[in-house]
Amino acid sequence: MTTRTIERSNAKLWLAAIKPPMYSVAIVPIWVGTAVAFYETSVLDWVIFSVFISSAILILAWENLSNDVFDSETGIDKNKAHSLVNLTGNKSLIFWLANLCLTLGIAGVLAICWWQRDWTILGLILTCCFLGYCYQGPPFRLGYQGLGEFLCFFAFGPVGMSAAYYSQTQTWSSLNLWVSVVVGMATTLILFCSHFHQVDDDLAAGKRSPIVRMGTATGAKLIPIFCGICLGLTAVWVAVGLFPAWTLLSFAGLPAAVELCRHVGTYHDRPDRVSNCKFIAVNFHFWSCLLLGVGFVL
Ligand SMILES: C/C(=C\COP(=O)(O)OP(=O)(O)O)CCC[C@H](C)CCC[C@H](C)CCCC(C)C
Ligand SMILES: O=C(O)C1=CC(=O)c2ccccc2C1=O
């Protein structure tokens, strides 16, 4: 192997470890919650919006860095070359980097609370962090019991989006909760898809992910249902007048949904081929939810 080939595959490993596209998952609930707030109140504070987005990205970085730390302790990542702990060989560096991200993320939330003299958002975001910790940290490790999808739904759906809405309006909204069901489900679909290629490693480490429990073939059959519910709910709520018609723009996510269903339907039991499916799910989540938010702003 030439030096350049080695450098290229190293760069690929680092990119796979850092997972840049995954961070859209932190931006989306803040964007959509803010868009619903604008739709209902015509209020949009750009400073709070920007600080909240930065904090959400930092908090998700904490979640991912600490995931590599905790997974290194259970042995589940021993074959995962793109774990940051395996790449650096320095668990305590990743642990402290994770804590730094969490501290900075919470500092941003504290700044918003201090400007508004209201600590509600801090409570909501600490709840999201607690759900994130329960997913992977001892003694809970609920992700190992196959319960991660429920935590994910609430963190990125009702709780995370209520925090975003509240940061703009300092009040609550039932419409925002309906919208958060769609965002929560689209985010949960990403986590669900992330398990398909890991069945062997998960089984060996005693992790009973939903795909380990139900098998890859049944899991693949659930994906069109997930996508159908996300887009179908929007269509029904537009039909009954709950959502504005422009939110149908979220159907821009349909091509990614079709690609995801076909890809996982064909390759669900081929780890090498199915491993990229969570990024197709990220595409679906990004386009459908970005444009759902645009539909509330137009
Ligand atoms: C870290 C997550 C998934 C990785 O899972 P896994 O270990 O199977 O994957 P690897 O193979 O890559 O090791 C995501 C877990 C999501 C969790 C249930 C909820 C996280 C909540 C966040 C802390 C909320 C942050 C955003 C909020 C402010 C809107
Ligand atoms: O690495 C992963 O598999 C995931 C990382 C992540 O931050 C996330 C957030 C929300 C839903 C799913 C996921 C992942 O699957």
Side-chain angles (χ1 to χ4, degrees):
M1 254 204 263
T2 64
T3 319
R4 186 174 283 177
T5 320
I6 293 171
E7 274 170 8
R8 260 201 219 127
S9 68
N10 243 339
K12 271 192 182 161
L13 275 181
W14 276 95
L15 268 182
I18 299 167
K19 310 174 265 211
M22 197 56 83
Y23 286 84
S24 61
V25 161
I27 296 170
V28 156
I30 312 305
W31 156 242
V32 183
T34 302
V36 177
F38 180 76
Y39 173 72
E40 290 196 324
T41 65
S42 302
V43 166
L44 203 170
D45 185 322
W46 283 101
V47 175
I48 288 179
F49 177 61
S50 314
V51 172
F52 210 157
I53 294 256
S54 312
S55 286
I57 291 173
L58 284 161
I59 291 170
L60 191 63
W62 160 73
E63 177 74 12
N64 277 290
L65 292 172
S66 58
N67 179 266
D68 280 356
V69 171
F70 292 131
D71 281 356
S72 75
E73 287 165 2
T74 65
I76 198 168
D77 278 355
K78 69 174 192 297
N79 297 321
K80 188 175 152 191
H82 58 281
S83 146
L84 282 165
V85 171
N86 293 344
L87 270 174
T88 58
N90 192 339
K91 187 168 98 179
S92 83
L93 171 72
I94 303 302
F95 177 70
W96 287 110
L97 212 54
N99 290 341
L100 177 66
C101 289
L102 181 62
T103 308
L104 293 175
I106 295 295
V109 174
L110 277 172
I112 297 174
C113 293
W114 185 75
W115 288 327
Q116 300 187 328
R117 304 283 187 270
D118 185 335
W119 304 96
T120 310
I121 303 166
L122 180 66
L124 291 170
I125 292 303
L126 288 179
T127 305
C128 290
C129 294
F130 181 65
L131 295 175
Y133 182 83
C134 288
Y135 175 74
Q136 55 202 14
F140 309 104
R141 298 198 209 273
L142 297 183
Y144 283 66
Q145 308 305 320
L147 298 173
E149 275 65 11
F150 296 103
L151 306 176
C152 184
F153 173 81
F154 285 102
F156 291 95
V159 185
M161 271 189 59
S162 294
Y165 184 96
Y166 195 95
S167 72
Q168 293 290 330
T169 61
Q170 292 186 267
T171 174
W172 310 101
S173 154
S174 56
L175 173 64
N176 187 54
L177 281 181
W178 291 113
V179 184
S180 75
V181 173
V182 176
V183 174
M185 284 207 63
T187 317
T188 303
L189 176 62
I190 301 173
L191 186 60
F192 185 77
C193 285
S194 76
H195 306 305
F196 277 92
H197 67 293
Q198 293 180 322
V199 172
D200 290 343
D201 285 344
D202 286 354
L203 268 173
K207 180 170 177 176
R208 299 173 68 222
S209 75
I211 300 301
V212 167
R213 284 173 181 269
M214 68 178 77
T216 60
T218 309
K221 287 193 190 116
L222 287 183
I223 291 181
I225 300 176
F226 255 111
C227 298
I229 293 178
C230 291
L231 296 176
L233 281 180
T234 303
V236 169
W237 288 337
V238 167
V240 300
L242 188 61
F243 285 13
W246 280 113
T247 56
L248 290 174
L249 282 173
S250 64
F251 274 73
L254 191 59
V258 172
E259 186 190 355
L260 180 64
C261 297
R262 286 202 181 135
H263 188 79
V264 181
T266 311
Y267 299 118
H268 61 86
D269 55 354
R270 302 245 330 250
D272 55 323
R273 298 300 298 266
V274 81
S275 66
N276 66 335
C277 77
K278 75 177 172 193
F279 291 106
I280 309 178
V282 168
N283 248 341
F284 168 66
H285 167 271
F286 178 73
W287 288 111
S288 59
C289 296
L290 176 80
L291 287 156
L292 181 65
V294 169
F296 281 102
V297 171
L298 288 179

